[in-house]
Amino acid sequence: MQEILDAILSTDSTSADFAALKLPDSYRAITLHKDEEQMFAGLDSRDKDPRQSLHLDEVALPELGPGEALVAVMASAVNYNTVWSSIYEPVSTFGFLERYGRLSPLTKRHDLPYHVLGSDLAGVVLRTGAGVNAWKPGDEVVAHCLSVELESSDGHNDTMMDPEQRIWGFETNFGGLAQIALVKTNQLMPKPAHLTWEEAASPGLVNSTAYRQLVSRNGAGMKQGDNVLIWGASGGLGSYATQYALAGGATPICVVSNDQKADICRAMGAEAIIDRSAEGYKFWKDENTQDPREWKRLGGRIRELTGGEDVDIVFEHPGRETFGASVYVTRKGGTIVTCASTSGFMHQYDNRYLWMSLKKIVGSHFANYREAWEANRLVAKGKIHPTLSKVYTLEETGQASLDVHQNKHQGKVGVLCLAPEEGLGVRDAELRAKHLPAINRFRDI
């Protein structure tokens, strides 16, 4: 691994140099163990500790197949899917690997007694498989997490509709929280040249997800002048939604849970902010009963901030806790676009406020190839910025995942893999200097 790292850190390594590197037989990776699937049985979600389930193991280098690449991972990041995997909720991810393994002899490689996690990376291509022309060893890349087979016509208009659509590092093996990752080469995109490895690794999953959910015609189709209610507006997903709303001429109404998160939203340029903790919103009277008076109170507060207008779009991802309120406060004919459900997957709402007011609920999941590419292009051009707040070592991934699980983080949490320290990998210092305050916005709070 040291020879690989030396080649990456060198300023004069060529593609031929990378192609000539001898690859190791094994590498270090963050894994789950199949024989520990029941380790948290009987515990509430909040009591499940990713530090107990996530392991740093030495794993075998996977065989490289056609249309694939082995990538040296300089940095990765923690997403909620890493947390879900680590606490075996809502199901064990080993079921995903078993089903994928039944698809073909090539996919059988993924069905192992361990699962290498991680759906983000920034790094350098080491090898490409047969049939790959667009990428070569030595290319600096980031990867989006859409894995598809594209053998069905269903996926050719929107790759998210492929019946074999999966999220790499969650529903497939050999993810990015490792020194080396295996990806399909159609997951690869150019690394933004003005960012460090850890900054470049952090937008991937959440940036593409927010783009499809809010901007794309496959999601809410946001337009100039829209009022957009954004739950968790300073978080990993919401922080990108806030940026897209501001960049697209919409008005974000940012819902946060404390003053520090409100300050982050103001630093991004948002003005309409609701601190749900300070204002005491309690949308549930008890475990089974919502409180419509709290929906109405939220709606009134939104109108105070918008000059009497309701929201055109609700950017929904908490799920169970907030969904009833989201449906209620959306304007007549408006859109609630939903993904993730981090507070619970079983949503409840009063359908009268949906059907009689002609509102729409749109389900959104990650992004198709084009959406992911467009989202990365905006980062590369300095239009959308990373929201990296803290960086851990690979050995500390369990703690990083616990912080996300307990909502102690801001923005995105990064993980150094092969990179020996933060701050490496910048190729365009001029563009970086232009945007440095925005790049560091979440680091400085």
Side-chain angles (χ1 to χ4, degrees):
M1 296 305 303
Q2 188 59 48
E3 289 183 6
I4 293 173
L5 180 58
D6 288 344
I8 294 171
L9 296 179
S10 172
T11 57
D12 55 5
S13 295
T14 66
S15 179
D17 292 331
F18 281 97
L21 287 171
K22 184 180 185 303
L23 299 189
D25 294 329
S26 62
Y27 62 98
R28 299 172 80 204
I30 296 298
T31 68
L32 291 176
H33 294 177
K34 191 173 185 178
D35 61 6
E36 294 180 347
E37 284 179 303
Q38 299 303 314
M39 68 183 301
F40 296 130
L43 293 178
D44 289 338
S45 293
R46 63 180 177 270
D47 297 324
K48 298 178 181 180
D49 189 342
R51 295 174 301 180
Q52 298 175 21
S53 57
L54 296 179
H55 304 275
L56 180 57
D57 289 334
E58 191 81 12
V59 301
L61 189 73
E63 174 191 356
L64 181 63
E68 296 180 339
L70 289 168
V71 179
V73 184
M74 293 297 278
S76 185
V78 172
N79 293 290
Y80 270 101
N81 67 13
T82 304
V83 176
W84 295 331
S85 298
S86 71
I87 62 175
Y88 298 102
E89 287 190 10
V91 295
S92 167
T93 55
F94 286 98
F96 300 146
L97 303 186
E98 291 166 8
R99 287 191 292 275
Y100 192 31
R102 291 195 291 267
L103 187 64
S104 73
L106 194 63
T107 64
K108 180 64 178 173
R109 295 169 300 164
H110 292 257
D111 184 8
L112 295 169
Y114 59 86
H115 187 181
V116 180
L117 303 178
S119 298
D120 286 322
L121 72 73
V124 178
V125 175
L126 296 175
R127 295 285 190 277
T128 57
V132 176
N133 302 302
W135 303 98
K136 62 184 184 302
D139 285 343
E140 296 187 351
V141 295
V142 293
H144 67 72
C145 61
L146 174 59
S147 174
V148 293
E149 306 305 312
L150 287 183
E151 293 185 305
S152 166
S153 62
D154 292 348
H156 283 254
N157 186 47
D158 177 1
T159 42
M160 284 302 297
M161 296 299 177
D162 189 284
E164 297 295 340
Q165 176 269 319
R166 292 174 175 84
I167 298 299
W168 160 72
F170 177 58
E171 295 166 299
T172 76
N173 219 324
F174 316 121
L177 286 166
Q179 294 176 323
I180 296 177
L182 178 73
V183 299
K184 295 178 184 293
T185 52
N186 50 29
Q187 292 178 240
L188 297 177
M189 304 180 293
K191 173 190 171 290
H194 66 297
L195 299 180
T196 65
W197 294 112
E198 62 274 11
E199 290 162 356
S202 67
L205 185 151
V206 287
N207 181 39
S208 300
T209 299
Y211 182 93
R212 180 181 176 104
Q213 192 172 352
L214 194 56
V215 179
S216 170
R217 70 188 69 179
N218 291 311
M222 183 190 72
K223 65 183 186 301
Q224 289 184 333
D226 279 347
N227 293 315
V228 183
L229 183 69
I230 301 172
W231 295 101
S234 72
L237 189 57
S239 58
Y240 286 95
T242 300
Q243 291 188 71
Y244 279 118
L246 291 165
T251 299
I253 296 92
C254 297
V255 184
V256 295
S257 59
N258 58 48
D259 286 340
Q260 185 182 35
K261 294 181 178 182
D263 288 342
I264 291 175
C265 293
R266 293 187 187 98
M268 285 190 284
E271 297 178 357
I273 298 171
I274 297 173
D275 184 337
R276 59 180 297 190
S277 297
E279 298 182 28
Y281 291 102
K282 296 183 184 295
F283 300 125
W284 290 80
K285 296 178 181 178
D286 55 47
E287 184 66 24
N288 300 306
T289 311
Q290 296 193 64
D291 190 347
R293 293 173 302 178
E294 290 291 87
W295 303 347
K296 295 176 183 179
R297 187 161 74 92
L298 176 65
R301 181 72 175 113
I302 290 169
R303 289 178 176 177
E304 289 176 6
L305 294 169
T306 60
E309 296 179 341
D310 293 326
V311 292
D312 301 274
I313 300 167
V314 179
F315 186 86
E316 245 292 344
H317 54 98
R320 174 179 167 81
E321 185 179 351
T322 58
F323 203 81
S326 294
V327 170
Y328 179 83
V329 301
T330 307
R331 74 162 178 84
K332 188 171 185 177
T335 301
I336 304 97
V337 60
T338 179
C339 75
S341 297
T342 53
S343 71
F345 303 99
M346 299 302 291
H347 298 184
Q348 296 180 22
Y349 62 92
D350 189 328
N351 197 44
R352 293 172 297 176
Y353 298 114
L354 187 80
W355 116 68
M356 296 183 71
S357 294
L358 307 170
K359 303 176 187 182
K360 298 178 290 294
I361 296 174
V362 176
S364 187
H365 182 40
F366 188 58
N368 64 33
Y369 284 172
R370 188 62 192 176
E371 291 159 345
W373 190 277
E374 291 290 350
N376 184 64
R377 175 175 173 267
L378 290 170
V379 174
K381 292 173 73 69
K383 303 292 186 182
I384 298 295
H385 304 290
T387 62
L388 186 68
S389 61
K390 190 173 182 179
V391 179
Y392 294 80
T393 65
L394 195 60
E395 291 84 354
E396 297 169 328
T397 303
Q399 183 61 52
S401 301
L402 180 65
D403 287 353
V404 175
H405 182 33
Q406 296 179 340
N407 198 31
K408 293 181 178 179
H409 67 304
Q410 315 283 2
K412 278 300 289 291
V413 170
V415 176
L416 296 181
C417 297
L418 273 176
E421 60 188 37
E422 297 180 46
L424 304 176
V426 175
R427 309 302 181 213
D428 187 341
E430 183 178 353
L431 183 61
R432 180 177 182 81
K434 181 179 178 181
H435 296 294
L436 193 57
I439 292 169
N440 286 332
R441 187 180 287 140
F442 279 65
R443 304 295 296 268
D444 294 339
I445 297 290

